[in-house]
C-alpha cells in the first residue's frame, strides 16, 4: 500500500496536474488558428483589391471619369468670365417644380440701351423608368421648341434625342437628330441637322487619359459637300487646375487657364488670336467667395474694359446679382453699363 501524502485522505483521488495546462494549451492553439485564418483572409482581400486590371499599370485600379463633351472643354474658365455678370440688362428668372415632377422655368429681360423686352417659358418632365426627358420651350419671338431625349436605355452611356422647332408666324420648321455615347476615356457625339437643301452633319469626340484631353469637332455640309467647321482642342485637367487650347478652322487660336487657389478664390486667364491679325486678345478674371451667401467677381481685358459683379443669396431660393462694365479708357465719356438680375426658385 503506497504511503499517503500530506493533505490527501485515503480513498480520495489525486488531482490531475495536467488538466489546467492542457485546457490553456488548447485554447491558445485555437486562438492562434483563428488569428492565422483572419490574417489569411485579410491578405487575400488585399490581393484582390490590389490586383491590377488590364488597363491599369498601378496596383490599385480606379476607373477614370468620363471626359466632358467638346463644348464643355475649358468650361471652368468660361464660367469665371461669364457667370455673375449681366451688363446692360435687367433680368428676372423664376424656377419651380410641381408635385407631379414637372419643372417650370420662366424668365424675362429688358435691355437698358434699347428698351427691348424679351421673355421665355420652359417646361421639363422626366420619366425615370423609361429614361425619357421631355423639354418644351417658347419665347417672345414666337418660336416653339420641343426636345425628346432617351438615355441609358439601348445601352449604358448611349443617348438619343430629337430636337424640333416651329415658328407659327412664318411656318418655318427644323429638326435635329442627336446621338451621343460616353464612357471611361471617351465622349463622342453626332448630330444631324435636317434641311430641305441638304442635311448638315455635326460630329465631335473627346478622348481623355490621366488628366490629358484631346478633342475634335467638325461640321459637314452635304449640300455643298465641304467642311463647314474644323476644330481641334488639347488640354489638361487636374483637381484644381485646368489648361485648354483650341484651333478653330485653322485661323482662330485660343487658350485658357483655370486655377482654384483655395476654397474661396478662383482665377482664370484667356487668350485669343486670329491669323492675319497682330491683335492678341486676352483677359483676366477672378471670383472670391466672401461667405456661403456672398461672392464678388471682377475681370479686365486688353481693351481696358473692367467688369465687376456682386452676387448675394438673400434667402434660400432668392438670389440677387448686380454688375457693372466700365470703360477705363473713357471714364469721363460715359457709355458704361450696369445690370441687375433677380432669381427665384420655389
Amino acid at each position: 500500500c503506497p504511503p499517503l501524502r500530506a493533505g490527501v485522505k485515503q480513498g480520495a483521488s489525486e488531482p490531475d496536474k495536467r488538466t489546467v495546462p492542457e485546457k490553456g494549451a488548447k485554447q491558445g492553439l485555437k486562438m492562434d488558428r483563428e488569428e492565422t485564418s483572419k490574417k489569411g483572409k485579410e491578405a487575400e482581400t488585399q490581393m484582390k483589391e490590389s490586383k491590377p486590371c488590364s488597363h491599369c499599370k498601378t496596383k490599385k485600379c480606379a476607373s477614370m471619369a468620363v471626359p466632358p463633351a467638346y463644348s464643355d472643354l475649358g468650361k471652368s474658365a468660361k464660367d469665371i468670365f461669364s457667370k455673375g455678370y449681366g451688363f446692360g440688362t435687367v433680368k428676372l428668372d423664376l424656377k419651380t417644380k410641381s408635385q407631379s415632377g414637372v419643372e417650370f422655368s420662366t424668365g424675362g429681360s429688358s435691355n437698358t440701351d434699347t428698351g427691348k423686352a424679351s421673355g421665355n417659358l420652359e417646361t421639363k418632365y422626366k420619366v425615370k423608368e423609361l429614361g425619357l426627358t421631355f423639354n418644351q420651350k417658347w419665347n417672345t419671338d414666337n418660336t416653339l421648341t420641343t426636345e425628346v431625349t432617351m438615355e441609358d436605355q439601348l445601352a449604358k452611356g448611349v443617348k438619343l434625342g430629337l430636337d424640333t422647332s416651329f415658328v407659327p408666324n412664318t411656318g418655318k420648321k427644323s429638326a435635329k437628330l442627336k446621338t451621343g455615347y460616353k464612357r471611361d476615356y471617351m465622349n463622342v457625339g453626332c448630330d444631324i441637322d435636317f434641311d430641305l437643301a441638304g442635311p448638315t452633319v455635326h460630329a465631335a469626340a473627346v478622348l481623355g487619359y490621366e488628366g490629358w484631353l484631346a478633342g475634335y469637332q467638325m461640321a459637314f455640309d452635304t449640300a455643298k459637300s465641304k467642311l463647314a467647321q474644323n476644330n481641334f482642342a488639347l488640354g489638361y485637367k487636374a483637381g484644381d487646375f485646368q489648361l485648354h487650347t483650341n484651333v478653330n478652322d485653322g485661323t482662330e487660336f485660343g487658350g485658357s487657364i483655370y486655377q482654384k487657389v483655395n476654397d474661396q478664390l478662383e482665377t482664370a486667364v484667356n487668350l485669343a488670336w486670329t491669323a492675319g491679325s497682330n491683335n492678341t486678345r486676352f483677359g483676366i478674371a477672378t471670383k472670391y467667395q466672401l461667405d456661403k451667401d456672398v461672392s464678388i467677381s471682377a475681370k479686365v481685358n486688353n481693351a481696358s474694359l473692367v467688369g465687376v459683379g456682386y452676387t448675394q443669396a438673400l434667402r434660400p431660393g432668392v438670389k440677387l446679382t448686380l454688375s457693372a462694365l466700365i470703360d477705363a479708357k473713357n471714364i469721363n465719356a460715359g457709355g458704361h453699363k450696369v445690370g441687375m438680375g433677380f432669381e427665384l426658385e420655389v
Side-chain angles (χ1 to χ4, degrees):
C1 179
L4 293 174
R5 295 186 182 181
V8 180
K9 296 182 180 179
Q10 187 175 3
S13 60
E14 183 179 359
D16 191 350
K17 297 181 180 179
R18 295 176 298 174
T19 301
V20 175
E22 283 182 359
K23 288 183 178 179
K26 289 181 179 179
Q27 291 178 356
L29 182 59
K30 185 177 180 181
M31 292 176 64
D32 291 342
R33 288 177 178 175
E34 290 179 354
E35 187 175 355
T36 303
S37 177
K38 185 178 180 181
K39 289 182 178 180
K41 290 181 179 179
E42 291 178 355
E44 184 179 356
T45 303
Q46 291 177 358
M47 289 178 66
K48 288 181 179 180
E49 290 179 353
S50 61
K51 184 179 179 181
C53 63
S54 58
H55 61 273
C56 291
K57 296 181 180 180
T58 57
K59 291 184 178 180
K60 290 189 178 181
C61 173
S63 59
M64 179 183 176
V66 177
Y70 189 92
S71 58
D72 292 332
L73 292 175
K75 185 177 183 299
S76 297
K78 296 175 185 176
D79 289 344
I80 297 297
F81 278 93
S82 60
K83 289 188 175 182
Y85 305 102
F87 309 128
T89 59
V90 178
K91 190 175 182 181
L92 174 64
D93 292 318
L94 173 64
K95 295 181 180 179
T96 186
K97 187 175 182 179
S98 66
Q99 294 181 353
S100 60
V102 181
E103 300 177 14
F104 295 91
S105 300
T106 182
S109 63
S110 175
N111 191 304
T112 56
D113 294 334
T114 63
K116 181 180 179 181
S118 62
N120 61 81
L121 174 65
E122 178 181 354
T123 61
K124 181 184 291 186
Y125 180 69
K126 295 182 180 180
V127 184
K128 296 182 179 180
E129 297 80 7
L130 303 177
L132 293 173
T133 301
F134 298 90
N135 196 345
Q136 291 182 320
K137 299 178 183 180
W138 172 86
N139 57 31
T140 49
D141 294 331
N142 205 19
T143 301
L144 302 174
T145 303
T146 302
E147 183 177 3
V148 181
T149 59
M150 181 176 64
E151 190 170 3
D152 294 335
Q153 294 300 305
L154 298 179
K156 185 174 178 59
V158 176
K159 184 177 181 179
L160 300 176
L162 179 63
D163 190 355
T164 62
S165 65
F166 174 62
V167 182
N169 294 342
T170 62
K172 183 180 179 181
K173 302 176 184 178
S174 64
K176 179 182 291 187
L177 178 63
K178 300 180 179 180
T179 62
Y181 177 68
K182 58 184 179 180
R183 54 160 297 170
D184 293 346
Y185 306 103
M186 63 181 296
N187 191 333
V188 297
C190 182
D191 302 342
I192 301 177
D193 191 357
F194 295 102
D195 193 342
L196 295 178
T200 302
V201 180
H202 303 264
V206 178
L207 302 178
Y209 183 73
E210 294 185 354
W212 289 98
L213 298 168
Y216 175 69
Q217 184 185 55
M218 57 84 70
F220 183 76
D221 189 347
T222 58
K224 300 179 181 179
S225 300
K226 71 173 185 178
L227 284 176
Q229 194 177 46
N230 189 31
N231 304 334
F232 295 90
L234 182 66
Y236 179 77
K237 182 178 181 180
D240 55 358
F241 174 81
Q242 294 184 27
L243 171 67
H244 171 68
T245 60
N246 64 281
V247 181
N248 296 341
D249 297 323
T251 57
E252 294 282 344
F253 301 86
S256 65
I257 298 175
Y258 166 82
Q259 175 73 47
K260 186 174 183 179
V261 181
N262 51 47
D263 293 338
Q264 290 79 34
L265 182 62
E266 298 174 82
T267 60
V269 178
N270 66 3
L271 298 169
W273 174 69
T274 304
S277 173
N278 295 326
N279 183 24
T280 300
R281 304 177 299 278
F282 67 89
I284 302 174
T286 184
K287 178 183 177 182
Y288 185 74
Q289 194 78 28
L290 295 176
D291 54 40
K292 63 183 183 66
D293 296 326
V294 181
S295 66
I296 55 176
S297 306
K299 62 181 179 179
V300 61
N301 60 16
N302 61 303
S304 298
L305 294 176
V306 181
V308 292
Y310 175 85
T311 302
Q312 180 173 0
L314 302 178
R315 54 179 296 180
V318 181
K319 186 167 67 173
L320 173 67
T321 301
L322 302 174
S323 59
L325 181 65
I326 302 170
D327 187 353
K329 286 184 178 180
N330 304 293
I331 295 180
N332 297 326
H336 313 301
K337 295 182 179 181
V338 295
M340 181 177 69
F342 203 62
E343 297 180 22
L344 298 174
E345 187 171 354
V346 294

